[in-house]
C-alpha cells in the first residue's frame, strides 16, 4: 500500500485485502476517500473533505425533553418496567426501540389520535405486530400521563382486529400416539411431551419444573418415588397469571420423570450444554423434535390445549380445568367444554338415529 502523506487520513486493509482510506478529523464527520492516494479522484475528495468537512454538532443526538424518545427512556428506567416478567422485558424493549427509531423525535404532548391511527395503518399487513405496537404505545403514553406531560390517552378505545384463527393447533390423540411411538420412555423429548401434556402448563413454566416443585411424598437422590397414581403433586406459580397451582402427578408423568429427568439438576429439562432451557429455546427445540418424528403443524403450546381438551372430554367443569391450567379467564376454558359437549351431543344424536332405524 502506498504511504499516505496527507494529514487526517486513516488507512486500512479490509477482509478482502483491499485498501480503504478515510478522512478523519476531530470534530468532523468521517469521509470515505475513493481510489488510491495520489489519484485524481482521491485528491479531489481529500481537498473537499479538508476544506469543507462539516463539524459534528456537540450533543446533536441527545434526547429532547418531552419527546417520545424521552418517554421511552423514562419508562425503561421506571418501576413499572422493572416489575415486568423477565421473559417479557426483552420483547417490550425490542418494540420500544423500534418506536424510538421511527417516531422518537415526536413530541408526546402534541401526539394526537390520528397520528396513532396512521402508525397502526402502516402495520395493517401484520396485525400481530400492530397489536404489540399499540400495547407499547399505551405504556409510554401512560408514563407521560403519570409524570404530568399529558392529561389524556390518544390510544384509548383503539383496537387492532386480529384475524380469526384457532391459534396453536391442538394435538390430536393420533399426534400424541405418534410422538410416543417415536420417542420411548427414557428419552428427553418424551419427558418434555409428558410434562406438557401432564401439567397443561405453558412453556415458560414447564422449563422451570424440577424436583423442588414436587410435594407430598419422598424424593430420593435418584428418582421420584410414586407409590400410587396421584400420590404426588407439583406446586408452582404460573408466570403469566401469577396463579398458584397444585397439579396432581399421574402415573404416566411419574414414569417419564423417573426414567429421564437428571437427578443432579435443578430442573427436569436441560439443554445440550447442561443448563435449563429458556422458554423460547425450548419451544424451538421441541418443534424440531416434532419434525424429526414426522409430526408437522403442531407446537409445544398445542399440548397444553390438548390437556385442556382431555379434561373437558372427561367431564371436568371450567373451574376444575382452570385449577390445573391456570387460566385467568373461565370464558377461555369454556371453549374446551363447549367443543367437548358438541362432540358428545353429536355422538348421542347419531346413536339415536341408528337406534331408530
Amino acid at each position: 500500500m502506498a504511504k499516505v502523506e496527507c494529514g487526517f487520513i486513516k488507512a486500512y486493509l479490509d477482509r478482502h485485502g483491499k485498501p480503504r482510506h478515510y478522512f478523519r478529523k476531530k470534530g468532523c464527520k468521517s469521509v470515505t476517500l475513493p481510489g488510491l492516494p495520489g489519484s485524481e479522484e482521491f485528491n479531489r475528495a481529500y481537498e473537499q473533505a479538508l476544506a469543507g468537512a462539516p463539524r459534528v454538532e456537540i450533543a446533536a443526538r441527545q434526547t429532547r425533553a418531552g419527546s417520545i424518545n424521552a418517554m421511552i427512556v423514562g419508562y425503561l428506567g421506571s418501576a413499572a418496567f422493572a416489575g415486568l416478567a423477565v421473559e417479557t422485558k426483552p420483547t417490550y424493549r425490542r418494540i420500544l426501540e423500534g418506536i424510538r427509531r421511527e417516531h422518537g423525535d415526536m413530541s408526546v404532548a402534541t401526539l394526537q389520535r390520528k397520528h396513532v391511527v396512521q402508525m397502526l395503518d402502516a402495520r395493517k399487513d401484520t396485525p400481530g405486530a400492530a397489536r404489540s405496537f399499540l400495547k407499547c404505545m399505551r405504556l409510554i403514553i401512560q408514563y407521560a400521563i403519570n409524570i404530568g406531560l399529558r392529561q389524556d390517552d390518544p390510544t384509548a378505545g383503539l383496537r387492532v382486529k386480529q384475524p380469526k384463527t384457532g391459534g396453536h393447533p391442538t394435538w390430536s390423540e393420533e399426534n400424541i400416539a405418534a410422538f410416543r411411538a417415536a420417542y420411548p420412555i427414557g428419552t428427553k423429548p418424551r419427558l418434555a411431551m409428558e410434562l406438557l401434556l401432564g401439567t397443561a402448563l405453558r412453556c415458560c413454566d414447564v422449563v422451570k419444573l424440577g424436583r423442588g416443585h414436587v410435594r407430598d411424598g419422598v424424593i430420593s437422590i435418584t428418582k421420584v418415588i410414586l407409590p400410587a397414581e396421584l400420590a404426588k403433586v407439583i406446586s408452582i406459580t404460573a408466570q403469566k397469571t401469577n396463579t398458584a397451582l397444585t397439579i396432581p402427578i399421574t402415573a404416566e408423568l411419574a414414569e417419564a420423570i423417573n426414567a429421564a429427568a437428571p437427578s443432579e439438576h435443578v430442573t427436569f429439562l436441560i439443554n445440550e450444554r447442561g443448563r435449563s432451557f429458556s422458554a423460547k429455546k425450548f419451544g424451538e427445540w421441541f418443534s424440531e423434535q416434532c419434525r424429526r418424528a414426522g409430526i408437522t403443524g403442531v407446537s409445544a403450546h398445542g399440548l397444553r390445549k390438548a390437556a385442556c381438551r382431555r379434561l373437558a372430554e372427561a367431564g371436568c367443569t371450567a373451574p376444575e380445568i382452570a385449577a390445573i391450567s391456570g387460566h385467568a379467564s373461565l370464558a377461555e376454558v369454556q371453549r374446551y367444554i363447549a367443543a367437548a359437549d358438541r362432540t358428545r351431543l353429536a355422538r348421542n344424536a347419531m346413536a339415536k338415529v341408528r337406534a331408530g332405524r
Side-chain angles (χ1 to χ4, degrees):
M1 183 190 306
K3 185 177 181 180
V4 178
E5 300 294 344
C6 303
F8 313 116
I9 301 262
K10 297 296 181 182
Y12 303 94
L13 287 176
D14 64 17
R15 61 190 181 92
H16 302 293
K18 186 176 181 179
R20 303 286 184 183
H21 300 86
Y22 300 89
F23 176 86
R24 290 182 179 171
K25 185 178 180 180
K26 188 175 181 180
C28 298
K29 292 183 178 180
S30 177
V31 178
T32 302
L33 300 175
L36 295 174
S39 66
E40 183 177 350
E41 59 177 345
F42 180 94
N43 292 339
R44 186 186 309 112
Y46 174 78
E47 290 173 1
Q48 291 175 352
L50 186 62
R55 296 185 62 82
V56 177
E57 296 180 21
I58 304 302
R61 300 178 65 88
Q62 287 185 348
T63 301
R64 286 193 312 167
S67 65
I68 288 179
N69 188 13
M71 296 305 100
I72 292 174
V73 172
Y75 173 72
L76 290 177
S78 69
F81 182 77
L84 295 176
V86 175
E87 288 79 3
T88 304
K89 290 180 181 178
T91 301
Y92 278 25
R93 187 183 293 274
R94 174 179 55 79
I95 298 170
L96 290 170
E97 289 296 337
I99 296 175
R100 185 209 299 267
R101 288 191 299 270
E102 293 184 41
H103 312 290
D105 291 336
M106 292 184 65
S107 170
V108 71
T110 60
L111 183 68
Q112 299 179 30
R113 186 183 185 85
K114 65 179 182 180
H115 299 142
V116 181
V117 171
Q118 290 170 357
M119 296 172 187
L120 293 175
D121 286 344
R123 295 166 172 79
K124 63 181 181 300
D125 295 331
T126 53
R131 186 178 185 181
S132 298
F133 175 89
L134 180 59
K135 181 185 294 186
C136 288
M137 281 297 295
R138 286 201 171 108
L139 292 175
I140 58 179
I141 292 297
Q142 186 59 52
Y143 176 79
I145 293 173
N146 291 342
I147 63 175
L149 291 184
R150 285 194 70 104
Q151 299 297 321
D152 64 318
D153 183 356
T155 70
L158 289 179
R159 297 288 185 271
V160 176
K161 187 176 181 180
Q162 298 293 304
K164 289 187 177 181
T165 66
H168 295 274
T170 305
W171 283 52
S172 66
E173 292 302 317
E174 290 76 14
N175 292 146
I176 295 171
F179 195 95
R180 284 173 170 167
Y183 299 107
I185 287 289
T187 61
K188 185 165 67 174
R190 178 65 173 272
L191 172 61
M193 192 275 285
E194 297 295 349
L195 284 169
L196 289 163
L197 184 63
T199 63
L201 290 173
R202 299 175 180 88
C203 289
C204 59
D205 296 318
V206 165
V207 295
K208 297 176 183 177
L209 282 182
R211 285 174 169 77
H213 294 100
V214 179
R215 301 286 186 270
D216 300 334
V218 179
I219 302 176
S220 74
I221 192 65
T222 57
K223 67 179 181 179
V224 180
I225 300 175
L226 292 176
E229 187 173 356
L230 305 184
K232 283 181 174 290
V233 296
I234 289 175
S235 297
I236 189 172
T237 299
Q239 176 183 293
K240 186 174 181 179
T241 59
N242 198 31
T243 304
L245 301 174
T246 301
I247 306 169
I249 300 178
T250 64
E252 288 177 329
L253 178 55
E255 183 183 14
I257 292 174
N258 290 337
S263 59
E264 72 283 358
H265 202 273
V266 68
T267 58
F268 291 139
L269 295 169
I270 58 175
N271 59 24
E272 289 75 10
R273 295 178 293 175
R275 300 178 182 177
S276 300
F277 280 102
S278 66
K280 180 180 179 181
K281 291 297 183 182
F282 170 71
E284 294 172 352
W285 171 83
F286 190 79
S287 294
E288 177 60 27
Q289 309 315 305
C290 293
R291 286 190 291 270
R292 290 181 178 179
I295 306 170
T296 59
V298 295
S299 64
H301 192 77
L303 279 165
R304 168 177 165 83
K305 299 176 74 171
C308 293
R309 170 182 58 77
R310 282 183 160 191
L311 291 169
E313 290 173 351
C316 296
T317 65
E320 287 172 337
I321 297 174
I324 299 292
S325 65
H327 278 93
S329 171
L330 293 183
E332 180 70 23
V333 179
Q334 191 62 40
R335 297 178 185 178
Y336 296 102
I337 296 176
D341 287 343
R342 285 194 299 270
T343 302
R344 189 179 302 111
L345 289 171
R347 289 173 178 169
N348 291 343
M350 295 308 296
K352 290 179 180 179
V353 170
R354 289 193 297 270
R357 288 179 178 175

